[in-house]
Amino acid sequence: MKSDIGLIGLAVMGENLALNMESKGFTVSVYNRTVSKVDKLINGRGKGKNFIPCHTLNDLVLSIKKPRKIMLMVKAGKPVDLLLEALIPLLNQDDIIIDGGNSEYHDTDRRIKLCSDKRIHFVGTGISGGEEGALTGPSLMVGGVPEAWPSIKKIFQSIAAKVEGSVACCDWIGTGGSGHFVKMVHNGIEYGDMQLICEAFHIMKTLLKLSAPEIHSIFAEWNKGSLNSYLIEITSEILDYLDCDGNPIIDKILDAAGQKGTGKWTGQTALDIGTPLNLIVESVFARCLSAMKDERVRASKILHGPRIAFSGDKNVFINNVKDALYASKIISYAQGFQLMKMGAKEFGWKLNYGNIALIWRGGCIIRSTFLKDISEAFNKNSELTNLMLAPYFSKQLIILQEKLRHVVATAVTNGIPTPAMSSAIAYFDGYRCERLPTNLLQAQRDYFGAHTYERIDKPRGEFFHTNWTNMT
């Protein structure tokens, strides 16, 4: 018997994906460099199931139907390259290699060329949903060599999360590294979502002096409306979780955040392409600042801020925080989708933004009802330049901006950091500003570096220089 697909890498994500594939009726060949993990799966969670255990790469290759489909679930970077070096010589023309890790999209482009020289199809697939999603239904963003898609489509759409009954959260994204690019942007948006939620939590805890159980109830209520999402849901559950002593465990967790790099890649890409990504980049920097725990503790003893005091109706202000969070979320997603549009232009991809929003509606970490509105916005106008200009979202922002301004101003007045919310309103105001002060910036650049400038009374594309010091 031959298998339908092979999978290399049996850490939790890889093992769960293999179990997911098998549960949908596919026979899966499995291999891990530490072969004891293969035996553990076969004798444990995979016992009696349709798996073919393999203790060598050659055994794996020989066990799969042609054209072979082999999925790599190994750590991104050098481990993928080393595995390709060993695997490619064992394969034949038209075999397919699928990288399901969090690879950098430029690496995917490079590996596509490497494999195409051997007439092997390479696919870069972004996977979101974590360990649970891998087992029960992730969101899959598939890119690479188009010829590979028909061969893997059935398997991938079978294992993906489903929304609206049977719509798979998996589709073809585009050529090259576009699948991993879109997953990178997804992760950047995820950084923004998480930071915005943390800022709302911080304001309610620090300014309103609410307890974790009280904030739990607020987030649980928010999850019933426009903010309904996986991250709001788990935030509510986290705040309700008690330690063994009966106190909220959230109050005992160290405030020093980690990160794996995809948020940083998103910011670096935005800088390379030249598109503003203020909120998401601030979310990355917020994690960096949080990691400076010891230094912040010392600074808190020296750098004193205003006395924190709230006056007014708490319930009204809580509702303002909710609206500020929603408005900031719109602006964050607008930046993320703008980056995808600029990336598509830069790299020659044809991305379907309505489909991408649909893929993210289930399985992935940022899944939410909000994404349906985004999908509808792009489906109504595929040429939409910025999500904030879609009629539904522009109306929401015009209504909610007052609440966002009030919450940010209150936080600043009380010395409570809100880097993501603050950058949200700054981006909104900058984007809607017909004339920015960068005319002065251009004059400065021309003064010290003769960089030239354009004039508003002359056609675009004509450049001028002023002899500011009248020097000959």
Side-chain angles (χ1 to χ4, degrees):
M1 179 182 70
K2 298 277 188 178
S3 69
D4 300 296
I5 188 169
L7 189 141
I8 300 174
L10 293 176
V12 178
M13 280 290 290
E15 181 175 295
N16 281 357
L17 275 174
L19 288 163
N20 188 349
M21 291 174 183
E22 194 278 338
S23 72
K24 301 303 186 295
F26 301 103
T27 299
V28 186
S29 296
V30 291
Y31 168 77
N32 194 83
R33 186 178 63 174
T34 305
V35 295
S36 59
K37 287 191 174 183
V38 177
D39 298 332
K40 182 180 177 182
L41 171 63
I42 299 304
N43 296 317
R45 298 172 75 196
K47 190 170 184 178
K49 300 182 184 295
N50 293 318
F51 289 111
I52 299 177
C54 304
H55 286 184
T56 68
L57 279 178
N58 192 55
D59 289 343
L60 178 87
V61 170
L62 293 176
S63 70
I64 306 168
K65 296 174 187 173
K66 296 182 180 180
R68 302 177 182 93
K69 297 172 280 293
I70 301 176
M71 191 163 193
L72 316 183
M73 293 300 299
V74 299
K75 187 177 179 181
K78 190 65 175 177
V80 178
D81 291 321
L82 292 173
L83 185 53
L84 289 177
E85 286 179 16
L87 185 59
I88 287 174
L90 304 176
L91 300 180
N92 300 127
Q93 180 178 333
D94 296 328
D95 285 346
I96 301 166
I97 300 175
I98 307 149
D99 177 12
N102 262 336
S103 290
E104 207 273 341
Y105 66 96
H106 286 307
D107 284 343
T108 302
D109 283 330
R110 173 174 55 79
R111 290 163 185 155
I112 287 171
K113 186 179 185 311
L114 171 69
C115 289
S116 65
D117 290 343
K118 310 292 185 182
R119 298 187 177 183
I120 295 167
H121 302 317
F122 190 86
V123 171
T125 297
I127 302 176
S128 181
E131 298 171 11
E132 179 185 351
L135 181 63
T136 62
S139 172
L140 297 159
M141 294 144 266
V142 189
V145 178
E147 291 81 1
W149 177 233
S151 297
I152 62 176
K153 180 178 180 179
K154 182 179 178 181
I155 297 176
F156 276 32
Q157 293 194 336
S158 294
I159 67 171
K162 307 295 188 299
V163 292
E164 297 175 359
S166 60
V167 179
C169 294
C170 167
D171 207 347
W172 178 253
I173 297 296
T175 58
S178 59
H180 277 133
F181 184 93
V182 168
K183 174 56 163 56
M184 176 195 74
V185 176
H186 164 283
N187 283 24
I189 291 173
E190 179 185 308
Y191 273 59
D193 269 356
M194 295 172 73
Q195 178 62 27
L196 289 169
I197 292 170
C198 289
E199 289 176 16
F201 162 73
H202 195 193
I203 290 169
M204 290 188 286
K205 179 178 175 61
T206 306
L207 180 62
L208 303 184
K209 310 298 183 185
L210 299 180
S211 66
E214 289 173 315
I215 304 174
H216 147 73
S217 298
I218 292 167
F219 275 107
E221 186 62 30
W222 288 0
N223 198 46
K224 298 174 184 177
S226 58
L227 285 171
N228 172 259
S229 67
Y230 172 72
L231 285 171
I232 294 288
E233 177 186 353
I234 68 168
T235 298
S236 175
E237 292 179 1
I238 288 166
L239 294 171
D240 195 40
Y241 197 94
L242 303 180
D243 200 5
C244 54
D245 62 1
N247 294 312
I249 196 168
I250 187 65
D251 295 333
K252 300 182 180 182
I253 297 175
L254 183 69
D255 56 320
Q259 55 181 305
K260 290 189 175 181
T262 47
K264 178 181 72 175
W265 292 348
T266 313
Q268 289 173 332
T269 301
L271 287 169
D272 291 340
I273 294 176
T275 187
L277 203 73
N278 317 43
L279 191 152
I280 291 169
V281 171
E282 284 293 349
S283 299
V284 177
F285 285 149
R287 294 194 188 193
C288 296
L289 185 60
S290 80
M292 300 164 62
K293 175 65 177 178
D294 294 341
E295 194 169 339
R296 287 189 291 111
V297 171
R298 291 195 298 272
S300 70
K301 307 294 191 297
I302 301 169
L303 303 175
H304 302 294
R307 184 176 67 87
I308 296 175
F310 176 78
S311 61
D313 188 315
K314 281 189 178 183
N315 290 328
V316 170
F317 190 75
I318 289 167
N319 190 63
N320 288 345
V321 173
K322 179 189 75 171
D323 289 343
L325 176 56
Y326 184 67
S328 299
K329 186 181 177 81
I330 294 171
I331 294 166
S332 177
Y333 280 66
Q335 292 180 13
F337 275 84
Q338 186 78 355
L339 176 58
M340 285 192 284
K341 289 183 75 73
M342 295 295 286
K345 182 178 178 181
E346 178 82 7
F347 303 115
W349 300 326
K350 293 182 180 180
L351 304 183
N352 186 320
Y353 306 103
N355 273 7
I356 290 169
L358 179 64
I359 290 169
W360 290 349
R361 280 196 59 206
C364 70
I365 302 301
I366 65 170
R367 60 185 183 267
S368 66
T369 55
F370 168 77
L371 284 158
K372 183 177 181 181
D373 297 321
I374 295 179
S375 182
E376 289 175 355
F378 281 108
N379 288 336
K380 287 178 181 176
N381 180 8
S382 61
E383 301 302 316
L384 185 64
T385 53
N386 189 298
L387 191 64
M388 296 192 300
L389 300 181
Y392 173 79
F393 290 113
S394 61
K395 181 180 179 181
Q396 291 292 312
L397 287 171
I398 290 168
I399 294 170
L400 299 177
Q401 63 170 302
E402 181 183 349
K403 310 287 185 65
L404 175 56
R405 294 182 194 282
H406 177 61
V407 168
V408 169
T410 304
V412 170
T413 302
N414 284 275
I416 299 171
T418 54
M421 287 188 183
S422 298
S423 64
I425 196 62
Y427 176 83
F428 175 77
D429 285 338
Y431 188 76
R432 68 178 187 83
C433 187
E434 184 178 355
R435 186 161 171 81
L436 290 167
T438 38
N439 55 334
L440 175 58
L441 187 148
Q442 284 298 87
Q444 291 169 334
R445 294 179 70 242
D446 188 57
Y447 189 110
F448 65 67
H451 293 295
T452 73
Y453 54 84
E454 296 173 277
R455 296 173 59 112
I456 61 174
D457 56 351
K458 300 292 182 181
R460 290 296 303 268
E462 289 188 29
F463 292 88
F464 301 86
H465 167 64
T466 292
N467 184 1
W468 300 95
T469 58
N470 294 318
M471 294 180 62
T472 56

